[in-house]
Amino acid sequence: MIQHPSAFAVSHPERPAVLAGEQVVTYAQLEDRSARVANLLHSCGVATGDHIAVLLENRPEFFDVVGAGLRIGAYVTPINWHLTAREAAFIVADCGAQVLFASSELTSLMDDLDAPELRRRIAVGGPVEGWDDLDALIAGQPSTPPTEQCEGAWMFYSSGTTGQPKGIKPPTIGGELGAPTSFAALVAGLYGFSEESVYLCPAPLYHAAPAGWTNAVHRLGGTAVVMDRFDPLETLALIERHRVTHVQFVPTHLVRLLKLPAEVRAGYDLSSLEVVVHAAAPCPPEVKRSAIEWLGPIVHEYYSGSEGVGFCAIGPEEWLAHPGSVGKSLLGTVHILGPDGEELAPGEQGEVWFETPSRFEYHGDPAKTAAAWNDKGWSSLGDVGSLDADGYLYLADRVSNMIISGGVNIYPREVEDVLIGHPLVDDVAVIGVPDEEMGEAVRAVVQPPAGTDPASLVASGPELVEYCRERLSHFKCPRSVVFVAELPRLPSGKLAKRLLPAEVLRPDRITR
C-alpha cells in the first residue's frame, strides 16, 4: 500500500487532512496545493538532495510547502520562528537553502539575511514587498504531480539550548515515493494510528516530533488538528469538538492541564481519546501518575531525539510497575558508560549510549559529527541515566545540567520534580550558582502561578526549601530561591537555561 497523502486524495478526497481553527483542508485540497508547490520548486531548479527552508507558524500552508519538498526529494528545514533574526538567518544560510518560504508576518526576520545559495524568497499568507507571493506563483503551476518524484527528508536543527544550532542530516534520501516508512509503521504498531485517527498537535510544527508525527498521520490517511499555540482549556475543547483519538504532549502541557481545577477538567468529554503520548522532556513521576489517574491507562511515553538515536517506549501499565522509567529500547541496545568509557552495572548512573542501525551527520561539521560517536560506533543524546535488571531505562538529567557542590554530583531534574508539586510553583529550573565554599550552590528559579507578582513571594523562599528538604536529602535541596515572571521554556518543552536572566545567576541573590 502506498503511504502518501496523494493516495488518500484519490481514495478519500473529501476527508479532512488538516483542521486549523475554522479552516478545513481536505486531502484533495492538500494534494492540489502540494503538487503546485512541488512544480514551482522544480521550476526554481530544486532537485533531489537540494534544500528548502520553511519559516511558518502552525498554519495549513505549512503542509502544502513541506509536502512539496518531501515529494521531490529535497531536504526540508523548518525554522523556529521564536528565534532572533540573527539565529534564524544563520539556519537559512547554514542549511544551504535554495528556496525560503516565510509567513508574511515573519519575513522581517530575514531583513539582513546573507545566504549565497538562496535563489528565491517566497511569502506565505499575503504579498510582501521584495518577496514573491506564494498564491500568485502557484496559480500558474499545474496541479498534476511532478513527473519526477521521490522521498525527501527533514533536516531539523538542534534547539541550540547549549550553543549554536546544528543541522541533523539523515543518512538517506531519494527513495520511492510512498514506500512504507519505519516511523509510520512504528506509530501505527505502537500507538494504533490509522485512517480513522484524529491527532491533536498542540506544539510548534518546526519541532521534530510535531512535524514528524503529523506527517506520519497524513501518510496513514488520518486527520491532524493543529493548534496555533497551546492553551489548556482550548486543548480540552478541541478534543471534545473533533473527537480526537491521539494527542502528543510535553510534560509542561500535562502540568498546566493538571493545574486546572478538577471540576473544570471534568466538564469536557474526553472519551474519544485512545492514546495520550508525552515526550521531549523529563516528566515528574507525580505528574505522570496524576495524568494516568485522570485520563486512565492510556498515557504513553517515549524517549528519543531529533538525531534518530535510540527510541525507548513505555506504556501506562509498564510505567506503574516501573515508575520513573522511560521504557525499554525498541531501536538499538542501550549502554550505560562511566567517565572512563567502561560499561556500568544495573542501577549505576552514567551516560546513556545507544547502538544505532544508521548514522546521521551534523551538516557541514565533520568534527561535531565525529564527536557524536564513540569508538564502538555508539551515539549519545547527552543524558545521564541507569538501567534496572529488567532493561528499563531511567533518566537522571542532562550531562550538561549537572551541578557539582562540595564535590558531590547533583542532578537538577530530581529537585525540579519535587518542587513542581508545590502550589506556588507553576514551573521551575534548578541551577548551580558560584559559591566560595562549595564551588557551586543549588538555586531554584521559580515561575509562580499566572497573576502572581514574583516580588510578593520573596519571603516564601524558605517555605519551598523546607518543602524540598522534607522529600530529598538536604545536600540536594536549594540553598536559595529566586522568583521570576516566566522561565525561558521553548515551545518544544525544553528549558533554555542559557536564556535565564543574568540577575538570577548572581551569588548575592540569596533567599534562604
Side-chain angles (χ1 to χ4, degrees), residues 206-237:
Y206 57 69
H207 189 59
W213 285 60
T214 50
N215 180 255
V217 168
H218 287 154
R219 293 185 74 100
L220 296 170
T223 298
V225 181
V226 179
M227 301 178 69
D228 57 359
R229 65 179 183 84
F230 174 77
D231 176 84
L233 290 176
E234 180 66 10
T235 296
L236 299 179

Side-chain angles (χ1 to χ4, degrees), residues 70-158:
L70 292 174
R71 71 191 294 168
I72 64 166
Y75 288 103
V76 178
T77 293
I79 301 173
N80 178 347
W81 47 270
H82 292 89
L83 296 176
T84 65
R86 181 188 61 79
E87 292 168 326
F90 165 80
I91 292 175
V92 176
D94 187 72
C95 76
Q98 296 183 3
V99 178
L100 166 64
F101 296 87
S103 161
S104 54
E105 289 81 20
L106 299 173
T107 54
S108 60
L109 286 175
M110 296 293 123
D111 285 347
D112 297 321
L113 174 63
D114 180 16
E117 296 181 59
L118 191 64
R119 299 176 183 173
R120 205 153 195 176
R121 308 179 191 213
I122 300 175
V124 178
V128 175
E129 185 177 355
W131 290 66
D132 294 318
D133 178 62
L134 177 64
D135 287 337
L137 289 174
I138 65 173
Q141 293 292 334
S143 61
T144 52
T147 54
E148 296 181 10
Q149 297 190 104
C150 60
E151 290 285 354
W154 303 99
M155 194 173 90
F156 295 106
Y157 272 67
S158 64

Side-chain angles (χ1 to χ4, degrees), residues 14 50 86 115 121 192 197 221 223 263 267 289 300 340 352 362 393 404 406-407 433 451 458 462 464 467 472 496 505:
E14 298 308 311
D50 289 337
R86 181 188 61 79
R121 308 179 191 213
S197 298
T223 298
E263 60 272 19
R289 195 179 303 277
H300 296 250
D340 57 359
V352 182
Y362 287 121
L393 176 63
I404 303 177
V433 294
V458 171
L464 294 183
Y467 178 85
L472 284 177
L505 306 177

Side-chain angles (χ1 to χ4, degrees), residues 401 403-405 410-413 415-416 419 428-435 440-446 461 464-465 468 475-484 487 495 497 500-512:
N401 288 343
I403 300 167
I404 303 177
S405 183
I410 298 171
Y411 293 106
R413 179 194 165 187
V415 188
E416 292 165 352
L419 287 173
V428 59
V430 171
I431 60 175
V433 294
D435 184 270
E440 283 188 295
V442 179
R443 171 170 296 169
V445 185
V446 172
L464 294 183
V465 173
C468 200
F475 75 89
K476 298 179 181 179
C477 297
R479 298 182 65 195
S480 60
V481 178
V482 176
F483 294 89
V484 296
L487 288 173
L495 186 67
K497 293 185 177 181
L500 285 168
E503 63 179 32
V504 310
L505 306 177
R506 296 206 317 260
D508 60 323
R509 286 293 302 270
I510 303 296
T511 305
R512 298 190 188 277

Side-chain angles (χ1 to χ4, degrees), residues 141-268:
Q141 293 292 334
S143 61
T144 52
T147 54
E148 296 181 10
Q149 297 190 104
C150 60
E151 290 285 354
W154 303 99
M155 194 173 90
F156 295 106
Y157 272 67
S158 64
S159 59
T161 53
T162 58
Q164 194 79 279
K166 302 179 292 290
I168 302 163
K169 194 171 184 178
T172 58
I173 199 169
E176 181 183 357
L177 187 72
T181 66
S182 58
F183 185 71
L186 184 147
V187 297
L190 198 58
Y191 303 118
F193 279 88
S194 71
E195 292 185 32
E196 307 302 320
S197 298
V198 180
Y199 172 67
L200 176 64
C201 176
L205 289 165
Y206 57 69
H207 189 59
W213 285 60
T214 50
N215 180 255
V217 168
H218 287 154
R219 293 185 74 100
L220 296 170
T223 298
V225 181
V226 179
M227 301 178 69
D228 57 359
R229 65 179 183 84
F230 174 77
D231 176 84
L233 290 176
E234 180 66 10
T235 296
L236 299 179
L238 287 172
I239 293 172
E240 178 180 80
R241 175 183 174 187
H242 295 301
R243 307 302 294 159
V244 168
T245 59
H246 295 70
V247 61
Q248 182 172 186
F249 292 129
V250 299
T252 303
H253 295 158
L254 288 174
V255 168
R256 293 177 182 172
L257 285 165
L258 288 164
K259 285 186 180 287
L260 292 172
E263 60 272 19
V264 171
R265 287 187 271 121
Y268 292 89

